[in-house]
């Protein structure tokens, strides 16, 4: 028997969402991140772009192709791509046809857009009762700010995140990654899975309503809990924790290191590693409450000892003693760190380099397909599968309703 040949033809492991059909009408970050996670776990995702394209195609440099930014590439792999003008009736006819065979619809249009096109919520439920409709908005669709657009940074500002981010004597700062958008994408992914699970029982779809505002407020812990309990407005603490000490970045001999002491035993171990065991018995520092009340004095007492040791060496010695610590890596150091590579968190396949799926399953793992399709690359294939004949597709192309790959 030719064992090599047999091994070569072994199919890849099954994926958790194989057979799930997703129509992605979303743009920018939260929606595309959600649908990419669905695609990584096996869903058949069709991304529908407007004639002008997803604006993040032009969010660069860097660019990985003339019309594809690295930003776009790392949110839209493994999706088929079609270009349809949904602002015209003929384009909405195509949408209607595609929805007949769709399990999940993900969109982040301005509130009211789908209703204007003939798809209010109740109409979607009536015509496609098993459809799971995931809607991503900035502030929701009703209330004082219902329908108002919002990017990640706007919601960081409105939702209080910026107010607690930054140095105590500095201005409020935006968190350096679009955390509201990305977590909204993860919550949308989770909500879709909940709705799919419930559909097994009822046979019915439902609306998964995700707003960036809801995400921002959910991320305020522990500051929200503190204000609700005490009424004291939380203040910026830099990289320090407002209720744990020492839990902060310090300057080691060759750069910054973060030390996270969560209990009194860990504090004792820290003082021993640094050669200042007497600090563990100091009345100002015996318990976490004592240390939080005397954070300035504590920091001053630790700084010189920390400054004498290289950051990687110090982090390793502390970790051996059960004290969480790490060098403060820049992006390049993080993406090349041995543990990151060991966990397979960076994909390198041909010309493609990108982050892996963060959800790891033992029996049905994610299967990342790195290809990112050009605008309209799959228009003909998708419409053909939906039942359109060649003449109908050609007419739609000639009328500008859909687009095939190539120059605009």
């Amino acid at each position: 028997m030719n064992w090599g040949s047999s091994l070569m033809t072994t199919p890849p492991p099954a994926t958790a969402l194989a057979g799930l059909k997703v129509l992605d009408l979303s743009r920018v970050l939260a929606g595309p991140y959600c649908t990419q996670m669905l695609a990584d776990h096996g869903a058949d995702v069709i991304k529908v772009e407007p004639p002008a394209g997803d604006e993040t195609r032009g969010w660069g440099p860097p660019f990985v192709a003339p019309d594809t930014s690295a930003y776009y590439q790392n949110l839209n792999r493994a999706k088929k791509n079609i270009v349809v003008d949904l602002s015209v009736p003929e384009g909405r006819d195509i949408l209607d046809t595609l929805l007949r065979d769709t399990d999940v619809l993900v969109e982040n249009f301005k509130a009211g857009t789908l209703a204007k096109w003939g798809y209010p919520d109740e109409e979607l439920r009536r015509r496609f009762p098993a459809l799971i409709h995931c809607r991503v908005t900035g502030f929701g669709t009703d209330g004082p700010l219902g329908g108002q657009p919002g990017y990640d940074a706007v919601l960081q500002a409105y939702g209080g995140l910026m107010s607690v981010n930054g140095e105590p004597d500095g201005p409020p700062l935006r968190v350096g990654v679009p955390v509201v958008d990305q977590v909204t994408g993860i919550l949308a992914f989770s909500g879709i899975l909940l709705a799919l699970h419930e559909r097994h029982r009822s046979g019915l779809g439902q609306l998964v309503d995700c707003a960036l505002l809801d995400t921002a407020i959910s991320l305020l812990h522990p500051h929200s809990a503190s204000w609700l309990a005490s009424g004291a407005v939380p203040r910026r603490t830099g990289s320090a924790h407002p209720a744990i000490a020492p839990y902060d970045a310090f300057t080691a001999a060759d750069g910054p290191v973060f030390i996270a002491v969560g209990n009194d035993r860990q504090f004792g171990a820290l003082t021993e590693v640094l050669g200042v065991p007497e600090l563990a018995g100091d009345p100002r520092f015996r318990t976490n409450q004592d240390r939080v009340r005397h954070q300035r004095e504590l920091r001053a007492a630790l700084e010189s000892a920390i400054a004498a040791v290289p950051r990687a060496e110090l982090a390793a010695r502390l970790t051996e003693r059960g004290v969480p610590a790490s060098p403060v890596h820049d992006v390049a150091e993080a993406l090349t760190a041995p543990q990151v590579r060991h966990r397979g968190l960076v994909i390198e396949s041909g010309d493609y380099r990108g982050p892996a799926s963060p959800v790891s399953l033992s029996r049905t793992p994610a299967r990342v397909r790195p290809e990112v399709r050009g605008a309209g690359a799959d228009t003909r294939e998708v419409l053909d599968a939906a039942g359109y004949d060649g003449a109908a597709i050609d007419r739609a192309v000639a009328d500008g309703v859909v687009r095939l790959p190539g120059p605009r």
Side-chain angles (χ1 to χ4, degrees):
M1 179 178 288
N2 187 340
W3 289 102
S5 176
S6 175
L7 290 172
M8 289 297 290
T9 58
T10 301
T15 49
L17 299 178
L20 186 72
K21 296 184 177 180
V22 179
L23 198 60
D24 180 7
L25 306 185
S26 67
R27 309 180 329 279
V28 188
L29 204 168
Y33 187 44
C34 166
T35 54
Q36 178 166 283
M37 292 178 70
L38 294 171
D40 284 345
H41 286 275
D44 182 9
V45 178
I46 298 173
K47 182 177 177 72
V48 182
E49 293 195 45
D54 184 324
E55 53 262 50
T56 62
R57 283 186 178 273
W59 284 13
F63 291 91
V64 296
D67 69 340
T68 305
S69 66
Y71 190 113
Y72 178 93
Q73 179 192 49
N74 282 310
L75 294 168
N76 291 285
R77 64 177 176 237
K79 303 175 186 179
K80 295 177 182 176
N81 189 290
I82 69 174
V83 173
V84 182
D85 187 353
L86 297 177
S87 69
V88 299
E90 297 83 357
R92 295 194 290 275
D93 288 342
I94 291 173
L95 174 61
D96 200 76
T97 300
L98 295 175
L99 284 174
R100 295 172 196 167
D101 196 33
T102 292
D103 295 298
V104 179
L105 168 67
V106 179
E107 53 90 5
N108 60 351
F109 292 120
K110 182 180 178 182
T113 298
L114 278 183
K116 180 181 69 175
W117 289 345
Y119 294 100
D121 291 348
E122 61 275 11
E123 182 68 9
L124 273 177
R125 286 194 295 271
R126 183 187 70 80
R127 297 181 59 195
F128 309 103
L131 178 69
I132 292 163
H133 171 202
C134 179
R135 180 172 64 206
V136 179
T137 60
F139 291 87
T141 59
D142 51 17
L145 297 181
Q148 180 170 309
Y151 277 151
D152 175 274
V154 173
L155 272 301
Q156 287 196 35
Y158 188 91
L161 291 174
M162 284 180 62
S163 76
V164 294
N165 190 50
E167 294 300 326
D169 56 353
L173 293 177
R174 178 182 69 86
V175 178
V177 296
V179 61
V180 175
D181 264 335
Q182 290 190 262
V183 174
T184 299
I186 294 168
L187 294 176
F189 175 78
S190 303
I192 288 168
L193 298 185
L194 290 171
L196 286 168
H197 181 74
E198 193 280 335
R199 193 175 72 172
H200 287 300
R201 181 173 66 248
S202 68
L204 298 173
Q206 59 183 300
L207 175 66
V208 179
D209 185 7
C210 296
L212 301 185
L213 174 61
D214 301 5
T215 299
I217 296 300
S218 76
L219 290 173
L220 280 177
H221 184 82
H223 306 289
S224 54
S226 297
W227 180 80
L228 290 168
S230 70
V233 177
R235 302 298 179 187
R236 290 180 293 284
T237 58
S239 60
H241 196 286
I244 311 172
Y247 195 100
D248 203 351
F250 295 85
T251 301
D254 58 348
V257 62
F258 198 95
I259 300 172
V261 170
N263 56 51
D264 298 339
R265 181 199 62 76
Q266 290 176 350
F267 182 66
L270 169 68
T271 63
E272 291 172 7
V273 168
L274 293 177
V276 287
E278 66 277 7
L279 293 181
D282 190 311
R284 298 172 298 172
F285 310 138
R286 281 178 183 160
T287 70
N288 181 68
Q289 290 184 2
D290 297 328
R291 294 190 293 273
V292 170
R293 281 195 295 265
H294 299 94
Q295 282 202 56
R296 290 187 179 180
E297 299 99 311
L298 175 61
R299 184 176 181 89
L302 295 173
E303 282 181 327
S304 59
I306 293 172
V309 188
R311 59 183 185 150
E313 177 188 336
L314 177 58
R317 289 168 58 191
L318 289 174
T319 301
E320 287 174 2
R321 293 292 305 275
V323 181
S326 172
V328 178
H329 288 151
D330 62 27
V331 173
E333 290 171 327
L335 294 182
T336 55
Q339 187 66 14
V340 170
R341 292 307 176 110
H342 172 76
R343 296 275 304 170
L345 296 174
V346 175
I347 302 160
E348 294 182 301
S349 177
D351 294 333
Y352 181 86
R353 301 175 75 198
S357 170
V359 179
S360 180
L361 301 178
S362 63
R363 190 169 52 80
T364 56
R367 183 162 57 88
V368 175
R369 295 160 289 168
E371 184 178 12
V372 178
R373 304 291 281 167
D378 304 293
T379 298
R380 187 174 292 277
E381 175 193 339
V382 169
L383 295 185
D384 179 72
Y388 288 85
D389 60 29
I393 297 172
D394 291 340
R395 282 195 302 273
V397 172
D399 293 341
V401 178
V402 302
R403 203 182 95 201
L404 301 180
R408 298 185 184 183

